[in-house]
Amino acid sequence: MESRQALHAHSGDGPASARIMLVGEAWGIEEERTLQSFQGASGQELNRMLHDAGIMRSECYTTNVVNCRPPGFGIDRWLTGKRKDIQPTMRQLRNLWAEPIVHQGVARLLQEIHEVKPNVIVALGNTAMWALTGMAGVNKWRGSQLYCAVPREMYPPGVLGPHDQPWRCKLIPTIHPAAVLRQFELRPLAVLDLKRAAKERATAEYSNIPTWNFRVKPTLAECLHALGDLEQGLDAGTVEWLDFDIETAAGHIECVGISWSLVDAIIIPLMCREDRHGYFATADDEAQVVHALYRVLCHPRAKVRWQNGLYDAQYTYRHWHFVPRGAQDTMIAHHSAFCGLPKSLAFQASMYCDHYVYWKDDGKVADTRVPEEQRWRYNGTDCVRTREVGEALTATIANLGLQEVDAFQQKFFWPVLQCMQRGVRIDLAHRDALRIELMEEMAAREAYFLAVLGHDL
């Protein structure tokens, strides 16, 4: 058997002209025995998932960041981001510290990519995604339509000629099949991501990237004109669905986004860093905008779609004294269709959006380190993503025959909002009696333990 130090030099396996490359972390026991990638239980599960996604294993080139079996379980002994775990033999690689075997493995992987020139790489797990993009967190990035991003200096000498550029190809991260075996409820998500890779295998560039038309930093006149056009569209019946989202800071509404198509949205700031009094010049200007928002969002023909609309509604009710005419909450609709899956907008977008890239780190939290315009564009992205998700969910619920279930679930919006705003009536006398009863029961149990143990706990 070859030494562990030599095994890392082994290349992957598969056709040299493969359009899909599958990249994992490192070998396991079976891989070490056969000198081939994905041969154990996780490899068998990968084969089944590929089949379900419409991909043949024989059309893929399979390899790993390190074609060698790490000591123990996982690659943690060879790769770390924790200062206390850095060994004298480690050198920095991207933003982590790695043993020489990882450096050599990444160099060999890049050489394989340059030789195979795949159209799309599926990064299976955190390590593969980190090696090829420099990013971490595969659970949030999974399904994203990214590009392989490797600087020229990471390539080994002699691979790239003086005029060669690193091979640019699509990259879609997903969950490693070993993780699927540990949490089998993740399997449908991995299959969904592989289906996305199957759609992208024919070309080296994405052809479905949307061109969004966001009106950011509008003037007062532009705000009133856009909202006036929406109101006229509602009057005429040419506008029906409005996708609505707010961003908040310090308990107030920071900005408002409305979209009326899959690509169009207006983002209206109310707070800004340049002026503590607000984005608009006077309170009267802001009042005109809020009134125009009321006329649009509460229009008798308006159907407002939002994600977790209870959050937005509590703010509009508290600060503006009206609640938009909510017709679909995508969080509730997604729960109606798949009650066991996560409910975040990003997760839903990874399932339902034609082109998807995780964006929630762009401006979810109000932070002065995030440029203000980036925060506003983030608000617009939420709007158009909500629209695409909502339209897909409407079709999905119809296909599943769950319209009645969803309609019932959506009705809970109003009683829950009333509870949030007014509170819940409490029987104070009964609460006090219950408190006394619980104290007596606790004292009785403490006395029992003292009698049995002979001392206090």
Side-chain angles (χ1 to χ4, degrees):
M1 179 63 69
E2 296 178 69
S3 71
R4 176 166 287 174
Q5 300 303 322
L7 283 174
H8 74 275
H10 278 278
S11 297
D13 52 275
S17 59
R19 295 181 296 174
I20 299 176
M21 177 180 282
L22 307 174
V23 181
E25 179 179 280
W27 282 356
I29 296 175
E30 283 301 307
E31 288 81 4
E32 186 177 49
R33 184 180 66 82
T34 61
L35 304 183
Q36 291 183 322
S37 304
F38 299 105
Q39 294 299 307
S42 62
Q44 295 172 14
E45 182 55 42
L46 175 62
N47 293 344
R48 291 189 286 268
M49 292 192 298
L50 288 170
H51 179 269
D52 292 348
I55 301 172
M56 294 185 295
R57 169 73 180 260
S58 59
E59 69 176 292
C60 302
Y61 188 94
T62 60
T63 187
N64 291 278
V65 175
V66 180
N67 282 330
C68 179
R69 183 164 71 93
F73 297 95
I75 205 169
D76 295 347
R77 298 275 187 89
W78 291 342
L79 189 66
T80 184
K82 299 177 180 178
R83 184 171 296 276
K84 66 181 182 64
D85 295 330
I86 298 175
Q87 302 300 315
T89 52
M90 289 181 171
R91 292 182 292 114
Q92 192 164 3
L93 183 60
R94 288 196 182 270
N95 57 338
L96 300 179
W97 290 83
E99 293 284 4
I101 196 170
V102 177
H103 285 264
Q104 295 158 8
V106 170
R108 185 262 316 144
L109 171 62
L110 296 179
Q111 182 173 351
E112 288 179 293
I113 293 172
H114 184 72
E115 293 172 354
V116 176
K117 292 181 169 55
N119 284 340
V120 59
I121 297 175
V122 179
L124 297 161
N126 263 318
T127 304
M129 185 179 74
W130 161 81
L132 298 176
T133 68
M135 299 186 301
V138 73
N139 286 330
K140 66 180 181 181
W141 283 99
R142 51 144 290 274
S144 294
Q145 292 170 257
L146 309 174
Y147 282 97
C148 183
V150 180
R152 185 184 180 89
E153 55 268 21
M154 283 182 61
Y155 277 77
V159 173
L160 298 178
H163 303 295
D164 291 340
Q165 295 298 321
W167 180 247
R168 173 183 167 88
C169 67
K170 296 177 284 191
L171 183 141
I172 298 176
T174 191
I175 304 158
H176 195 284
V180 169
L181 291 177
R182 292 192 296 270
Q183 292 179 267
F184 210 64
E185 66 272 16
L186 299 177
R187 188 181 191 276
L189 307 181
V191 172
L192 190 67
D193 299 338
L194 290 171
K195 286 182 178 179
R196 198 181 286 274
K199 289 171 57 179
E200 297 295 337
R201 62 186 153 191
T203 62
E205 298 287 339
Y206 294 112
S207 60
N208 60 345
I209 301 176
T211 302
W212 289 327
N213 177 30
F214 292 168
R215 302 183 192 179
V216 183
K217 299 178 66 175
T219 63
L220 173 64
E222 290 171 338
C223 289
L224 297 178
H225 185 267
L227 294 173
D229 285 347
L230 289 177
E231 185 178 2
Q232 290 179 13
L234 290 166
D235 289 336
T238 56
V239 174
E240 183 180 25
W241 283 96
L242 298 172
D243 297 85
F244 178 67
D245 183 61
I246 67 171
E247 304 303 329
T248 61
H252 292 272
I253 300 174
E254 183 180 5
C255 60
V256 176
I258 299 178
S259 68
W260 53 94
S261 77
L262 291 174
V263 296
D264 295 298
I266 183 170
I267 299 91
I268 303 174
L270 298 168
M271 301 168 62
C272 73
R273 296 171 190 166
E274 296 176 2
D275 190 340
R276 65 184 184 89
H277 295 293
Y279 178 79
F280 294 102
T282 67
D284 287 342
D285 290 348
E286 184 172 318
Q288 288 186 66
V289 173
V290 172
H291 181 67
L293 286 167
Y294 162 74
R295 293 178 63 88
V296 168
L297 297 171
C298 295
H299 192 283
R301 290 184 177 176
K303 292 183 178 179
V304 174
R305 182 190 290 115
W306 42 18
Q307 162 74 8
N308 190 14
L310 283 167
Y311 180 86
D312 300 59
Q314 66 175 324
Y315 277 88
T316 63
Y317 181 81
R318 183 185 309 150
H319 295 293
W320 297 341
H321 307 296
F322 71 81
V323 175
R325 296 187 75 251
Q328 184 189 39
D329 189 321
T330 51
M331 185 176 73
I332 296 173
H334 180 60
H335 178 78
S336 299
F338 305 106
C339 60
L341 293 180
K343 308 297 187 296
S344 72
L345 181 59
F347 180 85
Q348 293 179 62
S350 77
M351 289 185 62
Y352 303 119
C353 290
D354 179 46
H355 181 273
Y356 168 71
V357 176
Y358 177 76
W359 77 100
K360 280 295 182 179
D361 290 344
D362 292 348
K364 183 177 178 63
V365 179
D367 192 327
T368 54
R369 291 172 294 183
V370 176
E372 205 161 29
E373 188 166 334
Q374 178 179 319
R375 171 93 162 149
W376 296 334
R377 290 191 175 277
Y378 166 87
N379 183 219
T381 305
D382 276 2
C383 291
V384 293
R385 290 299 194 195
T386 299
R387 188 176 194 89
E388 189 172 2
V389 165
E391 291 180 355
L393 274 169
T394 300
T396 299
I397 288 171
N399 290 336
L400 296 173
L402 294 173
Q403 298 96 321
E404 186 176 347
V405 172
D406 183 54
F408 177 75
Q409 296 276 5
Q410 298 281 350
K411 289 179 181 178
F412 278 99
F413 171 85
W414 288 106
V416 173
L417 179 61
Q418 289 176 342
C419 290
M420 292 171 65
Q421 296 297 333
R422 303 178 185 177
V424 180
R425 187 175 183 181
I426 298 174
D427 186 330
L428 298 178
H430 185 72
R431 185 185 66 179
D432 292 340
L434 181 61
R435 181 186 291 114
I436 293 172
E437 181 182 347
L438 290 174
M439 295 293 290
E440 290 174 347
E441 292 294 335
M442 289 170 60
R445 281 158 176 75
E446 288 179 2
Y448 170 77
F449 283 126
L450 181 60
V452 171
L453 300 175
H455 57 80
D456 292 331
L457 281 174

